[in-house]
Amino acid sequence: MKNHSAFITNLLLAGLLLFSIQGIASDGKTPKPISRLTFPTTSDFAFHNDSIHHINFRYADKKRGFKPFIAPSLLVAGGTILHFSDWKYDINEWSREHFNYTGHLDDYLRFAPIAAVYSLNALGIQGKNNIGNQTAILGKSMVLTTLITKSLKSILDVERPTGQTQSMPSGHTAIVFAAAQWMHREYGETNPWYSIGAYTCAATVGIMRISKGKHWASDVLVGAGVGMISTELIYFTHQFKWDREHLNNLDIFPFKTGHQKGLALVYTF
């Protein structure tokens, strides 16, 4: 029951994350800045129509449709099938015999696509979005990937090749493929070699996890799919408002209600 409760809780958190940036219906009038916000002293507060929040999906790449979800879905399906096959044992045994690995490079290499994107920004090579939106997308993608991965690990509780538990999906692989998908979306149209480099890095981490004996090949396939899907879901719901123009609409005002004082964060739409 604890596992199911944790899973439901994590799904709710993920849902809140996906719809965190939403459109707000307003009357089009710009509110005048005030130095102090006052509220009625009664316990009842009135809610007006212009304060109702509406979910507003803005998929910035409608021409692609749902095609970006095909490859990661196939990876998850393939990993699931492999999990119930004896081939996963043969693959791990062959991998450890020919590519036995005991280092820690995989712990750092999973963040290589992230470092690459920020390095490109530092060099003046712009991606599809500005650095503010890139960072917001990356942050939400990492959180969603972690939530899904940890939930599946807890529910499935697959035994690792080492005898430990919570093997599926591979967390390292999920993170690096989420980052690789992010780099692909930002720079893939500029030059396909950026995408090739990102996915090659991600695949290398997955192979290292198998050769290290930390995961089955099935764990790596599912982890790769989870990471890519997580990033695509964030792009699907992101509002692309993390730029200078939109941040200029953000104001902070002091307020007082009775004996309570504080600061109010106000965004003008």
Side-chain angles (χ1 to χ4, degrees), residues 58-97:
R58 289 183 56 198
Y59 193 29
D61 202 356
K62 294 181 179 179
K63 291 187 297 183
R64 291 162 58 96
F66 289 93
K67 291 181 180 179
F69 292 95
I70 296 176
S73 297
L74 290 176
L75 286 171
V76 172
T80 302
I81 294 173
L82 184 60
H83 171 68
F84 295 101
S85 171
D86 290 337
W87 285 1
K88 76 173 186 177
Y89 302 105
D90 298 333
I91 293 173
N92 275 60
E93 184 177 350
W94 183 87
S95 178
R96 296 202 66 184
E97 287 180 357

Side-chain angles (χ1 to χ4, degrees), residues 129-193:
N129 296 294
N130 59 60
I131 193 169
N133 279 295
Q134 287 179 355
T135 302
I137 292 170
L138 173 65
K140 293 192 290 182
S141 175
M142 292 295 104
V143 172
L144 182 59
T145 299
T146 301
L147 285 172
I148 296 177
T149 300
K150 288 188 175 295
S151 297
L152 290 176
K153 281 178 177 289
S154 179
I155 293 173
L156 300 176
D157 199 25
V158 176
E159 184 176 332
R160 296 174 183 262
T162 58
Q164 297 174 312
T165 57
Q166 298 192 355
S167 183
M168 178 183 279
S170 168
H172 281 63
T173 308
I175 290 295
V176 71
F177 268 92
Q181 189 72 8
W182 173 64
M183 184 173 181
H184 164 68
R185 289 297 302 270
E186 292 297 328
Y187 286 96
E189 293 181 4
T190 302
N191 191 324
W193 283 105

Side-chain angles (χ1 to χ4, degrees), residues 11 19 22 37 43 54 78 80 90 105 110 152 239:
L11 281 181
F19 306 121
Q22 34 186 336
L37 303 179
S43 59
H54 298 278
T80 302
D90 298 333
L105 181 60
R110 57 179 163 160
L152 290 176
Q239 294 297 297

